[in-house]
Amino acid sequence: MMDQNLYNLYNLEAVRFHPFFHEVESDTALSLLSMCEVRHYNKNDMILKKNKPREGLLLLLEGLSEVFVKNDHSGREEVLEVVQTGELIGFSSLADFLGVSKQITKELVEVKASSEVRAMLIPFEVVRKRWDDPAVHDYLLTQVSVRLKDVYTSLAEQVKLATDYGENDAFMIRVQDVMSSEPAAVSPAATIQEAARLMLKRKISSVLVTEKDSLKGIITERDIVEWVAAEGADITAPASTIMTAGPVTVSRTAYYYEALSLILFKGIKHLPVMEDSKIAGIVTLSDLLRKKNENVIKTVQSIEKADRDSLPQIKTGIYEIIDSLIRDRVPILKTLEIITKLYDRMSGRIIELSISELREKGLQQPCEFAFYHMGASGRGEQFMLTDQDHFLVYESQSEEAGDFFEELGKRITSNMESAGYARCKGLMMCSEEKWRGSLSVWEERLRTWMLQSTNDNLLLAQNFFSYRLIAGSEGLHAKFEALAREHMKRSRIFLYRLAHLEREHPIPTLDQPLRSLFKLQRKSMDMKKEVLFPYHHSLQILSLMHGKLSGTPLEKIDFLQERQVFSKEFAHDLRGSVSTILTLYVTQRWQQKKNGAAPSSVVSFSRMSTREKEELILSLKTLKELQSLAIARFSL
C-alpha cells in the first residue's frame, strides 16, 4: 500500500477513531495500518468460510454482512447476527489467538456480504501489538459481551419457539397412519340385518357397501337407527336401500388434518380411504382425534347436544383442538377453516337453543330471519372467543316480528356470553336495536351509511362488510344481499371515502436487506393494526367494487381472481402472504393465552427465525401491492 493510500485510510473516521488506532501517534498508526489489508466483496460473496483458519479481525468500512451457520443436510442457512459498518468480524477466533482453547477449534460459522462490502483485515500481529492498551481491552470486552448477548438471545428465542410449537413429525401424519386397513364390507344385496350383525360382531359403527372391489356406499349406526327403528324399514331388505350412495372419500396419502377438515365440513364421521380408485381402508373422526387426545372427540359431540348449562364446556374442548392443530403445525389457513366450522356449529346450536327458549315462553317465530357474524368470526379468522360481532335481519315489518326478534337478539347475545364470547364493547350485537331489523329497516340503515360517509359510519361499514351468514333463511339472505348490492352500485362516493381512509393507513414495508432486520431501529410490528386490518379493508374495497359483499377473505380472493381483477399468480402470492402473517399472529396470540400473558398483536423481530423474516418481508410487499391496487381505483 502506498503512503498516500495509508494516509487516506488513516483519515477515514471508521479507522482513525477506532480503538486500535485512536490516540496512537500517527507514525505508529500508519505503521500498524501498513500491516493491514483492505478487501472488497460483492453482494453474496463469502467473506469467511467455515473450517478455514482466520488471519485476524475484519473491520467493516462500508456495507453489511451476516454471520450464519449452514445445515449441510438441508442446505438451509440460519443467520446468527448481522455486522454493520464500524463493527468487527472474527471474534470467535480470539480464543485461539489468546491461547485459551485447549485445542485449535474448527470454525463452524461463515460470513457472507449482504451488500457491497469494503473491509480492512487487522492481522493478529496488529492485535498483539495493541493488546496491552486498556482502551483496546475495554473495546473488545464490550463488543464481545454485546454481540454474545444478541446471539444468545436470538438462539434462545428460536429454541423456545421450536419447543413451544412442537418440532416433531406430527405434521407429517397421513391418513394411512391412523386408518383401519381392513374395513368391514357387505354387498348391496346383503340384508340390513346382516350389515347390523357385522357391525355388532366387529364392534364398529359403519360398514362399506361394495361390489367387485368398487365402493357403492356406506351404512352407519345412525342409518340403521333412523331407517329401522324410526321409519320401520324391513330388516330383510337389501342394504343398498338405506346406504349413503357415493360417500365422501379421502386419499390414503392425504394429511390427517385434510381428513379432519372433510369430516367437519361435510358433517360426517366416517371416511372411506381410497388408493388408485380402490378401497384401502376407513378412517373415522375417533381415529383422527384419538391420535392427539382421546377426549377431544367429546367436544364435537357436545356441540350437537349442548344446552345452556353445558355451553361453557364447548370452549374448553375447542381450545384443546386448537392447541393440537397449532402444535402439529397444521397450515394456519386449514387450522382456521377447521376451527371456524366448529364455532359456526356452536353458533348454530345457540340459535336453536335461543328459539327453543322463546318457544317455551309461548313465543312463536313469526317470519324468516338470517343471522350473521361480522369481524374476525365473519372473516373466518377467529381462533379464540373474543368479542361478539353479529346482527339479525328478518322479513316482516310487523310489531309482532319486532317484539319476537328483540327477545331473540337478547337470548342469542346472552347464550353466546355463556359460551365464552365477551359482549362487544362497541355494542355491535343483535341485542341492540341498531344491529337488527327488517329488510326495509336495513335498507334505510345502509342508505344512511353510504350517503352520510362520516368516519363513524365508515368504521361501522368496514366491520359490517365482513359479514357472513351463519344461520337462517338462504332465501332471505339472497334478498338482503340483492338490496345491499343495489345500494353499492349507486355509492361510489362511499367507496371513495373508504379508499381515502385506507390511504391514511399504509401497510409498512421493510426495504432494508433481508437480514438487516437484526439491526433496524424498528424492532417490532403490530400485525393486527398495521397489516391485517389494512389487508382486510383493501380486499373489502375491491370486492365491493365488483359486487362481492359477504364471505371470507379467501373467498373474496377467489372471486376477484375469477373476475380477473387478480392474476392467478398474484392470487397465489396473496394467499401465501396472508398465511405467513396469520401464522405469526395466531401462534403468538395462542402462546400468550397458554402462558397467561397479556394479549398483544405486536410481533418482535428478535423472536423470528431467518426464514420467518424473509417470508415477512415478501408478504408485506405483496399486501402493499394489494393496498395500492385498491387505492389506485380512485383519484385520491
Side-chain angles (χ1 to χ4, degrees), residues 4-178:
Q4 185 60 48
N5 289 336
L6 281 178
Y7 277 112
N8 291 340
L9 184 61
Y10 178 61
N11 285 326
L12 286 175
E13 185 175 334
V15 174
R16 187 168 189 172
F17 294 102
H18 196 279
F20 273 102
F21 309 103
H22 187 48
E23 295 185 353
V24 177
E25 291 184 1
S26 59
D27 290 344
T28 302
L30 289 170
S31 175
L32 292 172
L33 283 172
S34 68
M35 302 170 65
C36 299
E37 177 187 346
V38 176
R39 296 178 175 180
H40 297 266
Y41 302 92
N42 294 320
K43 183 178 179 180
N44 294 325
D45 280 354
M46 294 300 297
I47 296 175
L48 295 176
K49 296 182 179 180
K50 69 177 182 179
N51 299 330
K52 296 291 184 181
R54 307 303 198 222
E55 305 169 78
L57 302 176
L58 273 171
L59 172 63
L60 256 65
L61 304 177
E62 295 175 9
L64 199 71
S65 66
E66 56 189 38
V67 181
F68 68 93
V69 292
K70 185 174 183 179
N71 186 315
D72 291 331
H73 177 68
S74 65
R76 188 176 157 76
E77 296 177 359
E78 195 65 47
V79 175
L80 299 178
E81 60 174 336
V82 171
V83 184
Q84 295 190 111
T85 299
E87 295 182 336
L88 289 171
I89 300 171
F91 282 124
S92 62
S93 59
L94 276 178
D96 296 333
F97 163 73
L98 294 172
V100 296
S101 293
K102 295 181 180 179
Q103 59 183 16
I104 301 297
T105 57
K106 290 184 177 181
E107 296 291 345
L108 298 178
V109 299
E110 299 181 89
V111 181
K112 180 168 61 177
S114 300
S115 62
E116 296 287 328
V117 166
R118 187 160 71 111
M120 183 174 71
L121 174 66
I122 304 176
F124 286 130
E125 181 63 26
V126 174
V127 177
R128 189 172 290 108
K129 289 179 179 294
R130 295 287 292 127
W131 189 251
D132 293 332
D133 189 324
V136 173
H137 266 193
D138 291 347
Y139 168 74
L140 290 175
L141 179 61
T142 300
Q143 288 296 303
V144 169
S145 299
V146 171
R147 300 268 285 279
L148 188 61
K149 179 182 177 182
D150 289 345
V151 171
Y152 263 84
T153 299
S154 177
L155 287 175
E157 291 292 355
Q158 291 184 38
V159 169
K160 183 177 185 299
L161 286 175
T163 302
D164 288 345
Y165 303 139
E167 291 286 359
N168 51 50
D169 62 353
F171 176 69
M172 301 304 292
I173 292 175
R174 296 184 185 270
V175 170
Q176 63 191 12
D177 299 322
V178 295

Side-chain angles (χ1 to χ4, degrees), residues 336 340 373-382 389 462-468 528 532-533 535-537 539-540 551-556 582 585:
L336 291 173
T340 295
H373 273 171
M374 302 180 288
S377 179
R379 294 189 296 267
E381 295 175 359
Q382 188 170 56
D389 278 295
Q462 282 180 333
N463 194 48
F464 170 79
F465 280 114
S466 63
Y467 72 84
R468 186 167 55 87
K528 188 174 182 179
L532 285 172
F533 279 173
Y535 149 67
H536 290 138
H537 297 156
L539 194 58
Q540 186 178 79
T552 67
L554 294 181
E555 289 170 345
K556 291 176 180 178
L582 285 173
Y585 173 67

Side-chain angles (χ1 to χ4, degrees), residues 518-529:
F518 282 92
K519 299 295 182 180
L520 284 176
Q521 286 186 345
R522 182 176 187 135
K523 300 294 185 183
S524 62
M525 183 175 293
D526 191 321
M527 289 296 170
K528 188 174 182 179
K529 293 181 179 179

Side-chain angles (χ1 to χ4, degrees), residues 453 457-459 461-462 465 488 492-504 537-538 540-541 544 631 634 636:
S453 298
N457 280 344
L458 288 172
L459 292 175
Q462 282 180 333
F465 280 114
M488 288 306 308
R492 186 170 176 81
I493 186 65
F494 168 74
L495 291 174
Y496 172 90
R497 290 283 289 121
L498 283 178
H500 184 78
L501 194 64
E502 193 58 27
R503 190 181 186 185
E504 297 173 1
H537 297 156
S538 298
Q540 186 178 79
I541 291 169
L544 289 174
I631 294 173
F634 301 88
L636 298 178

